[in-house]
Protein backbone atom coordinates (compact mmCIF):
# COMPACT_ATOMS: atom_id res chain seq x y z
CA UNK A 1 0.00 0.00 0.00
CA UNK A 2 2.77 2.48 0.90
CA UNK A 3 5.56 3.23 -1.56
CA UNK A 4 7.92 5.75 0.04
CA UNK A 5 8.08 9.02 1.93
CA UNK A 6 7.45 11.76 -0.63
CA UNK A 7 8.53 14.73 1.48
CA UNK A 8 9.18 16.03 4.96
CA UNK A 9 8.06 19.55 5.85
CA UNK A 10 9.77 21.58 8.53
CA UNK A 11 9.14 25.04 9.90
CA UNK A 12 11.80 27.72 9.69
CA UNK A 13 11.71 31.17 11.27
CA UNK A 14 14.22 33.07 9.10
CA UNK A 15 13.74 32.18 5.45
CA UNK A 16 16.99 33.63 4.07
CA UNK A 17 19.05 32.07 6.86
CA UNK A 18 17.35 28.70 6.25
CA UNK A 19 17.93 28.87 2.48
CA UNK A 20 21.60 29.67 3.09
CA UNK A 21 21.94 26.72 5.49
CA UNK A 22 20.21 24.13 3.32
CA UNK A 23 21.44 25.42 -0.05
CA UNK A 24 24.93 26.78 0.61
CA UNK A 25 26.09 25.03 3.78
CA UNK A 26 24.57 21.57 3.20
CA UNK A 27 24.53 21.85 -0.59
CA UNK A 28 20.97 20.55 -1.07
CA UNK A 29 19.54 21.11 -4.56
CA UNK A 30 16.57 23.50 -4.56
CA UNK A 31 13.64 22.42 -6.71
CA UNK A 32 11.96 24.91 -9.04
CA UNK A 33 8.66 22.99 -8.86
CA UNK A 34 7.27 24.74 -5.75
CA UNK A 35 4.03 26.57 -6.52
CA UNK A 36 3.31 30.01 -5.04
CA UNK A 37 1.42 29.14 -1.87
CA UNK A 38 1.24 32.77 -0.74
CA UNK A 39 3.91 32.33 1.94
CA UNK A 40 7.69 31.90 1.74
CA UNK A 41 9.05 28.40 1.41
CA UNK A 42 11.40 26.23 -0.59
CA UNK A 43 11.59 22.64 -1.76
CA UNK A 44 14.86 20.70 -1.84
CA UNK A 45 15.36 17.44 -3.69
CA UNK A 46 17.33 14.82 -1.71
CA UNK A 47 17.50 11.66 -3.79
CA UNK A 48 13.89 10.59 -4.39
CA UNK A 49 12.57 12.55 -1.39
CA UNK A 50 11.86 16.23 -0.95
CA UNK A 51 12.45 18.49 2.03
CA UNK A 52 9.96 21.36 2.25
CA UNK A 53 10.83 24.48 4.22
CA UNK A 54 7.89 26.56 5.42
CA UNK A 55 8.29 30.01 6.96
CA UNK A 56 5.93 30.02 9.95
CA UNK A 57 7.15 32.02 12.95
CA UNK A 58 4.24 30.92 15.15
CA UNK A 59 4.49 27.24 14.25
CA UNK A 60 3.85 24.74 17.05
CA UNK A 61 6.65 22.32 16.12
CA UNK A 62 9.50 24.74 16.83
CA UNK A 63 11.88 23.42 19.49
CA UNK A 64 12.91 26.86 20.75
CA UNK A 65 16.60 25.91 20.88
CA UNK A 66 19.48 25.03 18.59
CA UNK A 67 20.92 22.66 21.22
CA UNK A 68 21.68 19.34 19.55
CA UNK A 69 19.58 16.66 21.27
CA UNK A 70 20.00 13.35 19.43
CA UNK A 71 16.81 11.93 21.00
CA UNK A 72 14.58 14.79 19.92
CA UNK A 73 12.40 14.52 16.82
CA UNK A 74 14.48 14.56 13.65
CA UNK A 75 14.76 13.31 10.11
CA UNK A 76 17.76 11.46 8.71
CA UNK A 77 19.69 11.82 5.46
CA UNK A 78 21.98 9.05 4.21
CA UNK A 79 25.33 10.34 2.91
CA UNK A 80 27.74 8.56 0.59
CA UNK A 81 30.93 10.29 1.86
CA UNK A 82 30.99 10.88 5.62
CA UNK A 83 34.52 12.30 5.63
CA UNK A 84 33.59 14.80 2.92
CA UNK A 85 30.40 15.67 4.78
CA UNK A 86 32.26 16.29 8.06
CA UNK A 87 34.78 18.48 6.21
CA UNK A 88 31.89 20.49 4.75
CA UNK A 89 30.47 21.04 8.26
CA UNK A 90 33.89 22.02 9.59
CA UNK A 91 34.51 24.39 6.67
CA UNK A 92 31.23 26.16 7.45
CA UNK A 93 31.72 26.16 11.23
CA UNK A 94 28.64 24.02 11.88
CA UNK A 95 28.43 22.42 15.33
CA UNK A 96 27.66 18.72 15.34
CA UNK A 97 27.53 15.60 17.49
CA UNK A 98 29.63 12.86 15.90
CA UNK A 99 28.75 9.24 16.72
CA UNK A 100 30.99 7.05 14.55
CA UNK A 101 30.26 4.04 16.76
CA UNK A 102 26.93 3.51 18.47
CA UNK A 103 24.23 0.85 18.76
CA UNK A 104 23.31 1.21 15.09
CA UNK A 105 25.46 -0.25 12.33
CA UNK A 106 25.97 3.18 10.78
CA UNK A 107 28.00 6.30 11.57
CA UNK A 108 25.66 9.08 12.81
CA UNK A 109 26.20 12.84 12.83
CA UNK A 110 23.61 15.24 14.26
CA UNK A 111 23.21 18.95 13.56
CA UNK A 112 20.50 21.54 13.96
CA UNK A 113 19.46 24.10 11.38
CA UNK A 114 19.20 27.78 12.39
CA UNK A 115 15.57 27.25 13.52
CA UNK A 116 16.56 24.33 15.77
CA UNK A 117 15.34 21.43 13.62
CA UNK A 118 17.46 18.36 14.36
CA UNK A 119 18.91 16.50 11.37
CA UNK A 120 20.77 13.18 11.47
CA UNK A 121 23.21 12.34 8.72
CA UNK A 122 24.37 8.75 8.51
CA UNK A 123 26.47 6.35 6.47
Amino acid sequence: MYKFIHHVSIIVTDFEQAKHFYGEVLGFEESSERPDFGFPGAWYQIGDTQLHLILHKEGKTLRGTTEIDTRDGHFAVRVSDMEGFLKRLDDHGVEYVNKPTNKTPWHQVYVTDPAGNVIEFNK
Side-chain angles (χ1 to χ4, degrees):
M1 176 186 317
Y2 306 108
K3 290 176 147 186
F4 55 86
I5 293 177
H6 178 266
H7 72 269
V8 173
S9 291
I10 60 171
I11 293 174
V12 298
T13 54
D14 182 318
F15 186 59
E16 293 307 317
Q17 192 178 38
K19 282 191 67 158
H20 173 76
F21 180 78
Y22 286 98
E24 301 299 319
V25 174
L26 295 182
F28 287 176
E29 179 184 340
E30 187 171 357
S31 170
S32 61
E33 297 178 10
R34 183 183 185 272
D36 182 1
F37 290 110
F39 56 85
W43 291 359
Y44 290 90
Q45 196 66 42
I46 308 167
D48 292 334
T49 304
Q50 290 183 344
L51 173 64
H52 294 183
L53 306 184
I54 299 172
L55 179 66
H56 187 32
K57 294 182 181 186
E58 294 81 34
K60 305 296 185 261
T61 59
L62 293 168
R63 296 175 62 237
T65 181
T66 56
E67 175 186 337
I68 302 171
D69 180 346
T70 63
R71 295 187 315 166
D72 211 338
H74 64 277
F75 64 95
V77 177
R78 181 63 63 131
V79 300
S80 59
D81 178 6
M82 185 58 80
E83 288 180 19
F85 174 70
L86 290 172
K87 181 177 180 335
R88 182 179 199 103
L89 293 181
D90 289 337
D91 289 349
H92 288 279
V94 176
E95 275 189 55
Y96 56 89
V97 172
N98 190 8
K99 294 184 164 191
T101 55
N102 57 78
K103 294 191 182 222
T104 70
W106 52 83
H107 184 161
Q108 297 172 308
V109 174
Y110 291 86
V111 304
T112 63
D113 72 5
N117 294 295
V118 180
I119 311 163
E120 173 189 334
F121 294 88
N122 61 51
K123 180 178 191 287

